[in-house]
Amino acid sequence: MIYHYLEALNAKRIILASSSARRKEILDTLGLKFEILVPKFAENLNQDSFEHPKDYVVATATAKADEVRKRLSSQDQVGGAPDLIVACDTCVTLDGKIYGKPIDDDHAAQMLTMWSGRTQEVISGVCLTHRLSADRQWRSNTFSETTSVKFHTLQQDAIAAYVRSGEPRGKAGAYGIQGPGGAMIEGIVGDYYNVVGFPLHHFCKVLLPLLQSSE
Amino acid sequence: MIYHYLEALNAKRIILASSSARRKEILDTLGLKFEILVPKFAENLNQDSFEHPKDYVVATATAKADEVRKRLSSQDQVGGAPDLIVACDTCVTLDGKIYGKPIDDDHAAQMLTMWSGRTQEVISGVCLTHRLSADRQWRSNTFSETTSVKFHTLQQDAIAAYVRSGEPRGKAGAYGIQGPGGAMIEGIVGDYYNVVGFPLHHFCKVLLPLLQSSE
């Protein structure tokens, strides 16, 4: 849906503020050209101070984008100042509680035991910090995207084998829908890419009018 | 969910009766070891003779599996007779009509124009032909899986750019959710892998009791 803007988009300097290989892969799939800059934000916002998990992930994504924007502004701009900084944060929620990455294999097994037979919500918060409007001032657009994920009933020996494989490590919710963990999932409601870690459709929907207004 | 049976499963001779690179990739992701044998079935069943599109795809998958089973039975079995043959057929339906691969780029553009702003159903039919029970007789299990796919409104210049990229070619419904086409899709209801071309979860759910009974 932004395919016809890809050339215009790729003439701009775009920064993906993320260390996630999966986010890089999703934007690569789209055909986007971008640089990666890993944000130094500590991701230490107090979850309890937010009314809803989506406010928390949007705030975290915004803090990541802000840190990268400030860092770039204070440096010599060899590549020219960027036009667009993309930051994202993804979490899993069940019964209103937020879950991130497992701290170890036991924690991963605990999480998967919780998911068994139940439907969780995967929520991403995204911040686009950009200078795409005519006045070239920095502006930010933020949004969140929620996808429901229904897990099949998981036997303990299946969970143990999955944890042993190392797959859950470093992944929000201790699974990857894009790997063998995908077989545990009966179905989803919403954007698949949001479960992988980046809400591709919503990103394009927000970006499209920004590109159209910068023509 | 069949992770703890992977070793037992990979001790068996498994044939994927499909020329689809995407089906191969999905089963690879699961960690399954298998051979590929392209079915010679002409895929010429009369769609009008089936009450529902899912009956059509199941019948086509069954015909593919049957052809491969008969061909292997008539040959010297260097690798030993197979234990499991997996065949699948996937179509797109809208308003009760079945759509397969586009015949050319114009046809692809017509299909995408039809999908714009609407929700279609992607239906796969699967046939597992196997000798997994104690008596080693051939048996078949078949099933179908449906996933709803909601498309964003697509502008004609976006469709034209997508068609020009060559992406729609050879793909049921003229798009690939696993590529840049994924950005056109607002969301799905059901198994993502079914939209790519193979209903991974349902496959594991049907296979698991067959493996347990063969222990």
Side-chain angles (χ1 to χ4, degrees):
Chain A
M1 55 181 282
I2 60 162
Y3 225 73
H4 50 314
Y5 276 94
L6 216 49
E7 209 175 316
L9 201 49
N10 284 337
K12 303 194 185 297
R13 187 176 177 213
I14 302 172
I15 311 277
L16 172 63
S18 177
S19 60
S20 158
R22 295 175 288 281
R23 289 194 185 116
K24 177 186 181 300
E25 221 170 90
I26 293 169
L27 289 181
D28 276 340
T29 298
L30 189 62
L32 208 64
K33 298 207 191 316
F34 55 91
E35 299 157 56
I36 288 175
L37 215 71
V38 177
K40 291 178 179 169
F41 175 65
E43 303 194 31
N44 54 1
L45 298 178
N46 179 8
Q47 293 176 3
D48 299 332
S49 67
F50 294 92
E51 205 181 334
H52 191 281
K54 60 186 163 194
D55 301 324
Y56 168 75
V57 285
V58 166
T60 300
T62 303
K64 288 179 184 178
D66 278 356
E67 186 277 320
V68 166
R69 178 183 56 75
K70 282 177 193 153
R71 187 157 24 122
L72 285 172
S73 304
S74 70
Q75 290 172 357
D76 285 343
Q77 291 298 329
V78 179
D83 300 288
L84 171 64
I85 299 166
V86 182
C88 181
D89 192 53
T90 302
C91 74
V92 164
T93 67
L94 188 70
D95 300 329
K97 208 171 163 247
I98 295 178
Y99 297 88
K101 298 168 186 171
I103 50 169
D104 57 24
D105 284 358
D106 283 347
H107 190 209
Q110 277 169 34
M111 280 193 192
L112 292 160
T113 304
M114 271 190 292
W115 311 155
S116 174
R118 300 198 62 193
T119 299
Q120 60 174 230
E121 317 265 85
V122 176
I123 309 179
S124 294
V126 174
C127 179
L128 307 185
T129 293
H130 59 90
R131 301 183 308 134
L132 293 172
S133 40
D135 63 10
R136 301 283 289 156
Q137 295 299 301
W138 281 108
R139 282 188 178 76
S140 283
N141 291 57
T142 62
F143 65 88
S144 71
E145 177 79 17
T146 301
T147 304
S148 300
V149 179
K150 169 75 164 72
F151 275 78
H152 193 76
T153 306
L154 306 175
Q155 305 300 324
Q156 280 303 321
D157 41 6
I159 289 175
Y162 184 60
V163 170
R164 261 199 314 276
S165 76
E167 270 287 321
R169 289 179 205 148
K171 297 194 175 85
Y175 70 96
I177 193 174
Q178 71 283 359
M184 307 185 292
I185 292 163
E186 288 186 12
I188 69 171
V189 179
D191 183 0
Y192 164 79
Y193 289 104
N194 191 39
V195 185
V196 182
F198 189 77
L200 182 61
H201 172 73
H202 204 150
F203 166 71
C204 292
K205 200 168 72 173
V206 171
L207 189 55
L208 186 60
L210 300 177
L211 292 171
Q212 285 167 334
S213 72
S214 76
E215 277 183 310
Chain B
M1 55 182 283
I2 61 163
Y3 226 73
H4 51 314
Y5 277 93
L6 216 51
E7 210 176 315
L9 200 49
N10 284 338
K12 303 194 186 297
R13 189 178 175 211
I14 302 171
I15 311 279
L16 172 63
S18 177
S19 60
S20 158
R22 295 175 288 282
R23 289 195 185 116
K24 177 187 181 302
E25 221 171 271
I26 293 170
L27 290 180
D28 277 340
T29 298
L30 190 62
L32 208 65
K33 298 209 191 317
F34 56 91
E35 300 157 56
I36 287 175
L37 217 70
V38 177
K40 292 178 180 168
F41 175 66
E43 304 194 29
N44 53 2
L45 298 178
N46 179 8
Q47 293 176 3
D48 299 333
S49 67
F50 295 91
E51 204 181 335
H52 191 279
K54 62 185 162 193
D55 302 325
Y56 167 75
V57 285
V58 166
T60 300
T62 303
K64 288 179 183 177
D66 279 356
E67 187 277 320
V68 166
R69 179 184 55 76
K70 281 176 192 150
R71 186 156 27 120
L72 284 172
S73 303
S74 69
Q75 291 171 356
D76 285 343
Q77 291 298 328
V78 179
D83 300 288
L84 170 65
I85 298 166
V86 182
C88 180
D89 192 53
T90 302
C91 74
V92 164
T93 68
L94 187 71
D95 300 330
K97 208 172 162 247
I98 296 179
Y99 298 88
K101 298 169 187 171
I103 50 170
D104 57 24
D105 283 0
D106 284 347
H107 190 210
Q110 278 168 35
M111 280 192 193
L112 291 160
T113 304
M114 268 190 293
W115 310 156
S116 174
R118 299 197 61 194
T119 298
Q120 61 174 228
E121 317 265 84
V122 175
I123 310 179
S124 294
V126 174
C127 179
L128 305 185
T129 293
H130 59 90
R131 301 183 307 133
L132 293 171
S133 41
D135 62 10
R136 301 283 289 156
Q137 295 300 302
W138 283 107
R139 283 188 177 76
S140 284
N141 291 59
T142 62
F143 65 89
S144 71
E145 177 79 17
T146 301
T147 304
S148 300
V149 178
K150 170 75 163 71
F151 275 77
H152 193 75
T153 306
L154 306 175
Q155 305 301 324
Q156 280 302 321
D157 42 5
I159 290 175
Y162 185 60
V163 169
R164 261 200 314 277
S165 76
E167 270 288 320
R169 289 180 204 148
K171 297 195 174 85
Y175 71 96
I177 191 173
Q178 70 284 358
M184 306 186 293
I185 293 163
E186 288 186 11
I188 68 171
V189 179
D191 183 359
Y192 164 79
Y193 289 104
N194 191 39
V195 185
V196 182
F198 189 78
L200 182 61
H201 172 72
H202 205 149
F203 167 72
C204 292
K205 200 168 73 173
V206 170
L207 189 56
L208 186 60
L210 300 177
L211 292 171
Q212 285 167 332
S213 72
S214 76
E215 277 183 312

